[in-house]
Amino acid sequence: MPGDTPFVELEYCQLTHDGECACGDDFQWALADGGNRHIAVLSDGLGSGIKAHLLANMTTTMALEFMKSNKPILRSAEIIMDSLPVCEVRKISYATFTIVDMLSATGRARVIEMGNPSYIQLRGEMEIPSFSRRELVSERWPDRKMDISELQMLTGDRLIFCSDGVTQAGLGTGVYKFGWRRSGCLAFARELIAREPAISAKDLSRAIAFNAMSLNKEHKCVDDISCVVLYFRKPRVLRILTGPPFHKEDDSAFAALAADGADRVIICGGTTANIITRELHTRVELDLKMVKVSGSLPPPGKMANVGLVTEGILTLTRVTTDLERHNWDDSPVAAREILAAIEESDVIELVVGTKVNEAHQDPKLPIDLEIRRNIIRRLQTVLENDYRKKVTLTYF
Amino acid sequence: MQDKIKLEICCGTTCYMLGAAELMTIEDTLPDAWKDRVDVFAIPCMDLCTREDIGRAPFVRIDGEVMGNATLETVHRALSKLLPIEPEEV
Ligand code: FES
């Protein structure tokens, strides 16, 4: 079951040096080996502005490609350092990097760092040291030492890494003579997680970046600030049941899937809802008050102890179309509620009954209804391709 | 105190497309005198849309009695048989 494999939530927050139009840090990530590896690279280019951005961007792009194709790290680093243009003012070329290469399923990871503040691994509030750390130095670039750490992420762990705009924040101010430093950032993250144990990668990276900025004089960005958070967590599973099972004998097995095993359940379809209420001895409450705001779809309802109930084909068609056009600002409530649930979930399990409702084939209907299977196929495609959701399909 | 009349409107796909969308606004069209006398409910699908013996979608149920081909007019008419316009019981 995909629900057993941890989910990798990878987010970052970047703040640009005041007065510059481009950030001198760059972050990129990619999936490799058919999705089995997550590779993320953060680089901080020398100086700030366009020139720094170029250095950083060249570094992340090259590092990502080298990692994907499993090139030896020392050789890769040498190629990167050789190819960066030399700064006219400083007569050196320089861009730091942090590379995280993690097996998505097992959480086994390697972190390669050159010049960036060292990463933080947190299990809840507890910091976890790497179990092996070694140094690697190129003979041709003896002053650019690299640290290679091996670590094991467990479900619920977070990995935080940042540019020195974070650790040097507040430098020279009264409180932080030497800047916020890694220790300040660590304490801040631990405190935040203590208060909000399920804080998302996005919120945590933003909190760290903005707090760093606030430590600077007049809250200025005196250096580019980047913070990346990788949250290796239990995936959130949304199960959507739609359509009556082909064989009536399967109704109870079908309905059982509404009762258990997912974080959230949505039932799309009136007949489907009826089967489930009958099997689970529950009932649906459709709120007629919703009618006035329900727009061009039937209003959503609630099934006690199960979840949201909506009409079937029209609503799913709307949801799919909205996902395809990446916009649901003006969508009716029923569709918007499904879309919100999809957004907050990592795994979408589609449980599809295949019995055809004869009434839907009626030529007197004002518009042609999509066939359920086609809509489901479109939905699966857009969720996987455009929204990085894991989708499973079960037919009944 | 008389019991309220239970008016159920089907919100399933077929009924919705064939007119239930309009029926769901019925509360706004009821004369004031009826407003406290009718309880309106929405139902996911009455499982009647595939049957051919009882008329066509959209379906409503008035105190348990199914009515096919329902429109605002026909539902009003059906209600009026159960409710006097001026319920003056002094
Ligand atoms: S949609 Fe109304 S009875 Fe099925």
Side-chain angles (χ1 to χ4, degrees), chain A residues 270-271 274 286 288 291-292 295-298 311 357 359-360 362 366-367, chain B residues 11 13-14 16-18 24 27-28 40 42-45 47 49-50 56:
Chain A
T271 314
N274 288 343
L286 280 190
L288 214 64
V291 170
K292 290 203 184 69
S296 52
L297 287 175
E311 178 276 341
N357 185 334
H360 291 185
D362 190 337
I367 52 166
Chain B
C11 295
T13 312
T14 313
Y16 185 81
M17 290 177 75
L18 290 173
M24 283 190 280
E27 274 189 318
D28 300 335
V40 187
I43 301 289
C45 165
D47 285 331
C49 40
T50 45
R56 283 176 48 87

